[in-house]
Amino acid sequence: MAGLAIKHLNNVRRRDFLAGDSLIDGRWIAGEQRDAVVDPATGEEIANAARCSTADMNRAIAAAERSFATWRGLLPANRAAMLRSWASLMLEHSEELAILVTSEQGKPLPEARQEIAYGAGFLEWFAAEGERAYGETIPSHKVGSLLHVRMQPIGLAAAITPWNFPIAMITRKAGCALAAGCPVIVKPAPETPLSALALARLAEEAGVPRGVFQVVTGHPIELSTPLLRDTRIRALSFTGSTDVGRLLLEGAADTIKKVSLELGGHAPFIVFDDVDVERAVKGAMAAKFATSGQDCLAANRIYVQAGIYDAFVEAFAAAIADLHVGHGLEPGVDIGPMTKLAVANKCRTHIDDAVKKGARAFSGHRGANLSPNFVAATLLTGVTEDMLIAREETFGPVAAVLSFDSEDEVIARANASEMGLAGYVYTDDLRRAFRLSEQIECGMLGVNTASFTGPPIPFGGWKQSGLGREGSRHGLAEYMELKYVCFGDLVA
Ligand code: NAD
């Protein structure tokens, strides 16, 4: 594995993608200090990135402010043209971007390629949606007046983004903000700056004007503090942990920003005994092991009805045994390293805790010993609610299976969580599917499918999984203000 990422990065023709400089006010900033970027599979330094200062962030805010009037004044079609050419450039450079993603994030290369297409899709989708920011005309309650509601850009936006989807979480936020007419400043996760900065190179090439899309890398608290304090930042969008989301919400309270938060998940995946076991296992594999389990949509509690529990576990174990763990740049790998050691350690804590409390662990991994960031795909059976894994998000390739008897019981157990991002239900009974779709407390529910995300859907959670929505026409509303205008005295 050693040297693999460096070898691939040496073949990236766009050498500027590796520069690691931030884009502030139309200039590439090297910063006085630099932070190492490492391959999570090996711990090797593969590049370094600017550690920008508070003063740099303040310069970015001022530049965004200067760019706002011109950007909001453009016709939506003109903004759309830039978003579309940015998306085309992403697709043109898909392979190079995918290598960056896998090198710094760890996910298998085919998944990184999918992320580039998924990420470009948000730009294309919002290019069109920006042209549909219709207001409304309300039937009047006053004689001789016209009641008109307009949607206007909220102002400057800030996006604080995570490392698990280092491309798509930026385009999902920035594509939407830009389409709405708002300049946006991105503070990417320190683990994955190269992907974010490569996007900035392509945005510049697509003609996005100076100050309208900026990427500032460095220390999270140092860079988020000016964003929170500055009254000119009117919208803040964050994806990451619930703890940090709570801190940012508190920090944004002073200046009453519009905050949208996409936080942790703890998705229930419920399998009733009327379904085809193979189909349910296929869904569970996708819902659990995509992005090596580092996905807020990941199935964290797999509830299987008692009648098919043994058959499900047997088929699930066989599928898990086929998963290949290794460096994301090696062909045929399904599970890469965890991007952060803390995440791998949390997986191990969840496995140890469950086994100590009576669960059985199974892992099909037979290869060489792997470095500490790796976690072998693991199946835990006989999981009960007193175990940590049944109570908190794992964010790794550990599948916890719990048994249930009745519909009412599983609904109560699935809803007994402060998280409410996503859920999955497998049943062939239409009425039951409807009842579950009414009663499961979450923002997104897959019924007989593990694949439902994409630009047109309102992505977001209930309870402590977040606030607001990304993607879809609802996403656009996060970056716009409504203005009600009453034209009076219209009839002489
Ligand atoms: P995190 O919340 O610490 O990091 C996400 C982003 O927040 C990064 O950009 C980071 O630089 C920034 N950040 C961190 N602390 C900050 C602070 N005090 N002020 C401002 N910004 C700050 O997440 P993590 O520690 O890297 O991962 C821990 C857990 O968070 C994971 O195990 C998972 O449960 C969850 N997570 C969820 C998602 C998601 O897609 N919803 C993404 C990443 C992590």
CSV table of all heavy atoms in Angstrom, one decimal, residues 221-264:
chain,number,residue,atom,x,y,z
A,221,ILE,N,-11.9,26.0,14.2
A,221,ILE,CA,-12.4,27.0,15.1
A,221,ILE,C,-11.9,28.4,14.6
A,221,ILE,O,-12.7,29.4,14.6
A,221,ILE,CB,-12.0,26.7,16.5
A,221,ILE,CG1,-12.7,25.4,16.9
A,221,ILE,CG2,-12.5,27.8,17.5
A,221,ILE,CD1,-12.3,24.9,18.3
A,222,GLU,N,-10.6,28.5,14.3
A,222,GLU,CA,-10.1,29.8,13.9
A,222,GLU,C,-10.9,30.4,12.7
A,222,GLU,O,-11.1,31.6,12.6
A,222,GLU,CB,-8.6,29.7,13.5
A,222,GLU,CG,-8.0,31.0,13.3
A,222,GLU,CD,-6.4,30.9,13.2
A,222,GLU,OE1,-5.9,29.8,13.5
A,222,GLU,OE2,-5.8,31.9,12.9
A,223,LEU,N,-11.3,29.5,11.7
A,223,LEU,CA,-11.9,29.9,10.5
A,223,LEU,C,-13.4,30.1,10.7
A,223,LEU,O,-14.1,30.9,10.0
A,223,LEU,CB,-11.6,29.0,9.3
A,223,LEU,CG,-10.1,28.9,8.9
A,223,LEU,CD1,-9.9,28.0,7.8
A,223,LEU,CD2,-9.5,30.3,8.6
A,224,SER,N,-14.0,29.3,11.6
A,224,SER,CA,-15.5,29.4,11.7
A,224,SER,C,-15.9,30.6,12.6
A,224,SER,O,-17.0,31.1,12.4
A,224,SER,CB,-16.1,28.1,12.2
A,224,SER,OG,-15.6,27.8,13.5
A,225,THR,N,-15.0,31.0,13.5
A,225,THR,CA,-15.3,32.1,14.4
A,225,THR,C,-15.7,33.4,13.6
A,225,THR,O,-16.7,34.0,13.8
A,225,THR,CB,-14.2,32.3,15.4
A,225,THR,OG1,-14.0,31.1,16.1
A,225,THR,CG2,-14.6,33.4,16.4
A,226,PRO,N,-14.8,33.8,12.7
A,226,PRO,CA,-15.2,35.0,11.9
A,226,PRO,C,-16.5,34.8,11.1
A,226,PRO,O,-17.3,35.8,11.0
A,226,PRO,CB,-14.0,35.3,11.0
A,226,PRO,CG,-13.1,34.2,11.1
A,226,PRO,CD,-13.5,33.4,12.3
A,227,LEU,N,-16.7,33.6,10.6
A,227,LEU,CA,-17.9,33.4,9.8
A,227,LEU,C,-19.2,33.5,10.7
A,227,LEU,O,-20.2,34.1,10.3
A,227,LEU,CB,-17.9,32.0,9.2
A,227,LEU,CG,-16.9,31.7,8.1
A,227,LEU,CD1,-16.9,30.2,7.7
A,227,LEU,CD2,-17.3,32.6,6.9
A,228,LEU,N,-19.0,33.0,12.0
A,228,LEU,CA,-20.2,33.1,12.9
A,228,LEU,C,-20.4,34.5,13.4
A,228,LEU,O,-21.6,35.0,13.5
A,228,LEU,CB,-19.9,32.2,14.1
A,228,LEU,CG,-20.0,30.7,13.9
A,228,LEU,CD1,-19.4,29.9,15.0
A,228,LEU,CD2,-21.4,30.3,13.5
A,229,ARG,N,-19.3,35.3,13.6
A,229,ARG,CA,-19.5,36.6,14.2
A,229,ARG,C,-19.9,37.7,13.2
A,229,ARG,O,-20.6,38.6,13.6
A,229,ARG,CB,-18.2,37.1,14.8
A,229,ARG,CG,-17.8,36.2,16.0
A,229,ARG,CD,-16.9,37.0,17.0
A,229,ARG,NE,-16.7,36.1,18.1
A,229,ARG,CZ,-15.5,35.9,18.7
A,229,ARG,NH1,-14.4,36.6,18.2
A,229,ARG,NH2,-15.3,35.1,19.7
A,230,ASP,N,-19.6,37.5,12.0
A,230,ASP,CA,-19.8,38.6,11.0
A,230,ASP,C,-21.3,38.7,10.6
A,230,ASP,O,-21.9,37.7,10.2
A,230,ASP,CB,-18.9,38.3,9.7
A,230,ASP,CG,-18.7,39.6,8.9
A,230,ASP,OD1,-19.7,40.2,8.5
A,230,ASP,OD2,-17.6,40.0,8.8
A,231,THR,N,-21.8,39.8,10.8
A,231,THR,CA,-23.2,40.0,10.5
A,231,THR,C,-23.5,39.9,9.0
A,231,THR,O,-24.7,39.7,8.6
A,231,THR,CB,-23.7,41.4,10.9
A,231,THR,OG1,-22.9,42.4,10.4
A,231,THR,CG2,-23.8,41.5,12.4
A,232,ARG,N,-22.5,40.0,8.1
A,232,ARG,CA,-22.8,40.0,6.7
A,232,ARG,C,-23.0,38.5,6.2
A,232,ARG,O,-23.6,38.3,5.2
A,232,ARG,CB,-21.6,40.6,5.9
A,232,ARG,CG,-21.5,42.1,6.1
A,232,ARG,CD,-20.2,42.6,5.5
A,232,ARG,NE,-19.0,42.1,6.3
A,232,ARG,CZ,-17.8,42.5,6.1
A,232,ARG,NH1,-17.5,43.3,5.0
A,232,ARG,NH2,-16.8,42.0,6.8
A,233,ILE,N,-22.5,37.5,7.0
A,233,ILE,CA,-22.8,36.1,6.7
A,233,ILE,C,-24.3,35.9,7.2
A,233,ILE,O,-24.5,35.9,8.4
A,233,ILE,CB,-21.9,35.1,7.4
A,233,ILE,CG1,-20.4,35.4,7.0
A,233,ILE,CG2,-22.3,33.7,7.1
A,233,ILE,CD1,-20.0,35.1,5.6
A,234,ARG,N,-25.2,35.7,6.2
A,234,ARG,CA,-26.6,35.6,6.6
A,234,ARG,C,-27.1,34.1,6.6
A,234,ARG,O,-28.1,33.8,7.2
A,234,ARG,CB,-27.5,36.4,5.6
A,234,ARG,CG,-27.2,37.8,5.5
A,234,ARG,CD,-27.9,38.7,6.6
A,234,ARG,NE,-28.3,38.0,7.8
A,234,ARG,CZ,-28.0,38.3,9.0
A,234,ARG,NH1,-27.3,39.4,9.3
A,234,ARG,NH2,-28.4,37.6,10.1
A,235,ALA,N,-26.4,33.2,5.9
A,235,ALA,CA,-26.8,31.8,5.9
A,235,ALA,C,-25.6,30.9,6.2
A,235,ALA,O,-24.5,31.2,5.7
A,235,ALA,CB,-27.4,31.4,4.6
A,236,LEU,N,-25.8,29.9,7.1
A,236,LEU,CA,-24.7,29.0,7.4
A,236,LEU,C,-25.2,27.6,7.2
A,236,LEU,O,-26.3,27.2,7.7
A,236,LEU,CB,-24.3,29.2,8.9
A,236,LEU,CG,-23.3,28.1,9.4
A,236,LEU,CD1,-21.9,28.3,8.8
A,236,LEU,CD2,-23.2,28.3,11.0
A,237,SER,N,-24.5,26.8,6.4
A,237,SER,CA,-24.9,25.4,6.2
A,237,SER,C,-23.7,24.5,6.7
A,237,SER,O,-22.6,24.7,6.3
A,237,SER,CB,-25.1,25.2,4.7
A,237,SER,OG,-25.5,23.9,4.5
A,238,PHE,N,-24.1,23.5,7.5
A,238,PHE,CA,-23.1,22.6,8.0
A,238,PHE,C,-23.5,21.2,7.8
A,238,PHE,O,-24.7,20.8,8.0
A,238,PHE,CB,-22.9,22.9,9.5
A,238,PHE,CG,-22.1,21.9,10.3
A,238,PHE,CD1,-20.7,21.9,10.1
A,238,PHE,CD2,-22.7,21.0,11.2
A,238,PHE,CE1,-19.9,20.9,10.8
A,238,PHE,CE2,-21.9,20.1,11.9
A,238,PHE,CZ,-20.6,20.0,11.7
A,239,THR,N,-22.5,20.3,7.5
A,239,THR,CA,-22.7,18.9,7.6
A,239,THR,C,-21.6,18.3,8.4
A,239,THR,O,-20.4,18.6,8.2
A,239,THR,CB,-22.7,18.2,6.2
A,239,THR,OG1,-23.8,18.8,5.4
A,239,THR,CG2,-22.9,16.7,6.2
A,240,GLY,N,-22.0,17.5,9.4
A,240,GLY,CA,-21.0,16.9,10.3
A,240,GLY,C,-21.7,16.3,11.5
A,240,GLY,O,-22.8,16.0,11.5
A,241,SER,N,-20.9,16.4,12.6
A,241,SER,CA,-21.5,15.7,13.9
A,241,SER,C,-22.5,16.6,14.5
A,241,SER,O,-22.5,17.8,14.4
A,241,SER,CB,-20.3,15.4,14.8
A,241,SER,OG,-19.7,16.7,15.2
A,242,THR,N,-23.3,16.0,15.3
A,242,THR,CA,-24.4,16.7,16.1
A,242,THR,C,-23.7,17.6,17.1
A,242,THR,O,-24.2,18.8,17.3
A,242,THR,CB,-25.4,15.7,16.7
A,242,THR,OG1,-26.0,15.0,15.7
A,242,THR,CG2,-26.4,16.4,17.5
A,243,ASP,N,-22.6,17.2,17.7
A,243,ASP,CA,-22.0,18.1,18.7
A,243,ASP,C,-21.5,19.4,18.1
A,243,ASP,O,-21.7,20.5,18.6
A,243,ASP,CB,-20.8,17.3,19.3
A,243,ASP,CG,-21.3,16.3,20.3
A,243,ASP,OD1,-22.5,16.3,20.7
A,243,ASP,OD2,-20.5,15.4,20.7
A,244,VAL,N,-20.8,19.3,16.9
A,244,VAL,CA,-20.4,20.5,16.3
A,244,VAL,C,-21.5,21.3,15.8
A,244,VAL,O,-21.5,22.6,15.9
A,244,VAL,CB,-19.3,20.2,15.2
A,244,VAL,CG1,-18.9,21.5,14.4
A,244,VAL,CG2,-18.1,19.6,15.8
A,245,GLY,N,-22.6,20.7,15.3
A,245,GLY,CA,-23.7,21.4,14.8
A,245,GLY,C,-24.4,22.2,15.9
A,245,GLY,O,-24.8,23.4,15.7
A,246,ARG,N,-24.4,21.6,17.1
A,246,ARG,CA,-25.0,22.4,18.2
A,246,ARG,C,-24.2,23.6,18.5
A,246,ARG,O,-24.7,24.7,18.8
A,246,ARG,CB,-25.0,21.4,19.4
A,246,ARG,CG,-25.9,21.8,20.5
A,246,ARG,CD,-26.0,20.8,21.6
A,246,ARG,NE,-26.8,19.6,21.3
A,246,ARG,CZ,-26.3,18.4,21.1
A,246,ARG,NH1,-25.0,18.1,21.3
A,246,ARG,NH2,-27.1,17.4,20.8
A,247,LEU,N,-22.8,23.4,18.5
A,247,LEU,CA,-21.9,24.6,18.8
A,247,LEU,C,-22.1,25.7,17.7
A,247,LEU,O,-22.2,26.9,18.1
A,247,LEU,CB,-20.5,24.1,18.6
A,247,LEU,CG,-19.8,23.5,19.8
A,247,LEU,CD1,-18.4,23.1,19.4
A,247,LEU,CD2,-19.8,24.4,21.0
A,248,LEU,N,-22.3,25.3,16.5
A,248,LEU,CA,-22.4,26.3,15.4
A,248,LEU,C,-23.8,27.0,15.6
A,248,LEU,O,-23.9,28.2,15.3
A,248,LEU,CB,-22.3,25.7,14.1
A,248,LEU,CG,-20.9,25.1,13.7
A,248,LEU,CD1,-20.8,24.4,12.4
A,248,LEU,CD2,-19.8,26.2,13.8
A,249,LEU,N,-24.8,26.2,15.9
A,249,LEU,CA,-26.1,26.8,16.1
A,249,LEU,C,-26.1,27.9,17.2
A,249,LEU,O,-26.6,29.0,17.1
A,249,LEU,CB,-27.2,25.7,16.4
A,249,LEU,CG,-28.6,26.1,16.5
A,249,LEU,CD1,-29.1,26.7,15.1
A,249,LEU,CD2,-29.5,24.9,16.8
A,250,GLU,N,-25.4,27.5,18.3
A,250,GLU,CA,-25.2,28.5,19.4
A,250,GLU,C,-24.5,29.7,18.9
A,250,GLU,O,-24.8,30.9,19.2
A,250,GLU,CB,-24.5,27.9,20.6
A,250,GLU,CG,-25.3,27.0,21.5
A,250,GLU,CD,-24.4,26.2,22.4
A,250,GLU,OE1,-23.3,26.6,22.7
A,250,GLU,OE2,-24.9,25.2,22.9
A,251,GLY,N,-23.4,29.5,18.2
A,251,GLY,CA,-22.5,30.5,17.7
A,251,GLY,C,-23.3,31.5,16.7
A,251,GLY,O,-22.9,32.6,16.6
A,252,ALA,N,-24.2,30.9,16.0
A,252,ALA,CA,-24.9,31.7,15.0
A,252,ALA,C,-26.1,32.5,15.6
A,252,ALA,O,-26.7,33.4,15.0
A,252,ALA,CB,-25.5,30.8,13.9
A,253,ALA,N,-26.4,32.2,16.9
A,253,ALA,CA,-27.6,32.8,17.5
A,253,ALA,C,-27.4,34.3,17.7
A,253,ALA,O,-28.3,35.1,17.5
A,253,ALA,CB,-27.8,32.2,18.9
A,254,ASP,N,-26.2,34.8,18.0
A,254,ASP,CA,-25.9,36.2,18.2
A,254,ASP,C,-26.3,37.0,17.0
A,254,ASP,O,-26.8,38.1,17.2
A,254,ASP,CB,-24.4,36.4,18.5
A,254,ASP,CG,-24.1,36.6,20.0
A,254,ASP,OD1,-25.1,36.5,20.8
A,254,ASP,OD2,-22.9,36.7,20.3
A,255,THR,N,-26.0,36.5,15.9
A,255,THR,CA,-26.3,37.3,14.7
A,255,THR,C,-27.5,36.8,13.9
A,255,THR,O,-27.8,37.2,12.8
A,255,THR,CB,-25.0,37.3,13.7
A,255,THR,OG1,-24.6,36.0,13.5
A,255,THR,CG2,-23.9,38.1,14.3
A,256,ILE,N,-28.2,35.9,14.6
A,256,ILE,CA,-29.5,35.4,14.0
A,256,ILE,C,-29.4,35.0,12.5
A,256,ILE,O,-30.0,35.5,11.6
A,256,ILE,CB,-30.7,36.3,14.2
A,256,ILE,CG1,-30.7,37.0,15.5
A,256,ILE,CG2,-32.0,35.7,13.9
A,256,ILE,CD1,-31.2,36.2,16.7
A,257,LYS,N,-28.4,34.1,12.3
A,257,LYS,CA,-28.3,33.6,10.9
A,257,LYS,C,-29.3,32.5,10.6
A,257,LYS,O,-29.8,31.8,11.5
A,257,LYS,CB,-26.9,33.0,10.7
A,257,LYS,CG,-25.7,34.0,10.9
A,257,LYS,CD,-24.4,33.4,10.6
A,257,LYS,CE,-23.3,34.2,11.2
A,257,LYS,NZ,-23.3,35.6,11.0
A,258,LYS,N,-29.6,32.3,9.3
A,258,LYS,CA,-30.4,31.2,8.9
A,258,LYS,C,-29.4,30.0,8.9
A,258,LYS,O,-28.5,30.0,8.1
A,258,LYS,CB,-31.0,31.5,7.5
A,258,LYS,CG,-32.1,30.5,7.1
A,258,LYS,CD,-32.8,31.1,6.0
A,258,LYS,CE,-34.0,30.3,5.6
A,258,LYS,NZ,-34.8,31.0,4.5
A,259,VAL,N,-29.7,29.0,9.7
A,259,VAL,CA,-28.8,27.9,9.8
A,259,VAL,C,-29.4,26.6,9.3
A,259,VAL,O,-30.6,26.3,9.6
A,259,VAL,CB,-28.4,27.7,11.3
A,259,VAL,CG1,-27.5,26.5,11.5
A,259,VAL,CG2,-27.8,28.9,11.9
A,260,SER,N,-28.7,25.9,8.4
A,260,SER,CA,-29.2,24.6,8.1
A,260,SER,C,-28.1,23.6,8.4
A,260,SER,O,-26.9,23.8,8.2
A,260,SER,CB,-29.6,24.5,6.6
A,260,SER,OG,-28.5,24.6,5.8
A,261,LEU,N,-28.6,22.5,9.1
A,261,LEU,CA,-27.7,21.5,9.7
A,261,LEU,C,-28.0,20.1,9.2
A,261,LEU,O,-29.2,19.7,9.3
A,261,LEU,CB,-27.8,21.5,11.2
A,261,LEU,CG,-27.5,22.9,11.9
A,261,LEU,CD1,-27.9,22.8,13.4
A,261,LEU,CD2,-26.1,23.3,11.8
A,262,GLU,N,-27.0,19.4,8.7
A,262,GLU,CA,-27.2,18.0,8.3
A,262,GLU,C,-26.3,17.2,9.2
A,262,GLU,O,-25.1,17.3,9.0
A,262,GLU,CB,-26.9,17.9,6.8
A,262,GLU,CG,-27.5,16.7,6.2
A,262,GLU,CD,-26.6,15.5,6.3
A,262,GLU,OE1,-25.7,15.4,5.5
A,262,GLU,OE2,-26.8,14.7,7.3
A,263,LEU,N,-26.8,16.6,10.2
A,263,LEU,CA,-26.0,16.1,11.3
A,263,LEU,C,-26.0,14.5,11.3
A,263,LEU,O,-26.2,13.9,10.2
A,263,LEU,CB,-26.5,16.6,12.6
A,263,LEU,CG,-26.6,18.1,12.7
A,263,LEU,CD1,-27.2,18.6,14.0
A,263,LEU,CD2,-25.2,18.8,12.4
A,264,GLY,N,-25.8,14.0,12.4
A,264,GLY,CA,-25.6,12.5,12.4
A,264,GLY,C,-26.9,11.8,12.2
A,264,GLY,O,-28.0,12.3,12.2
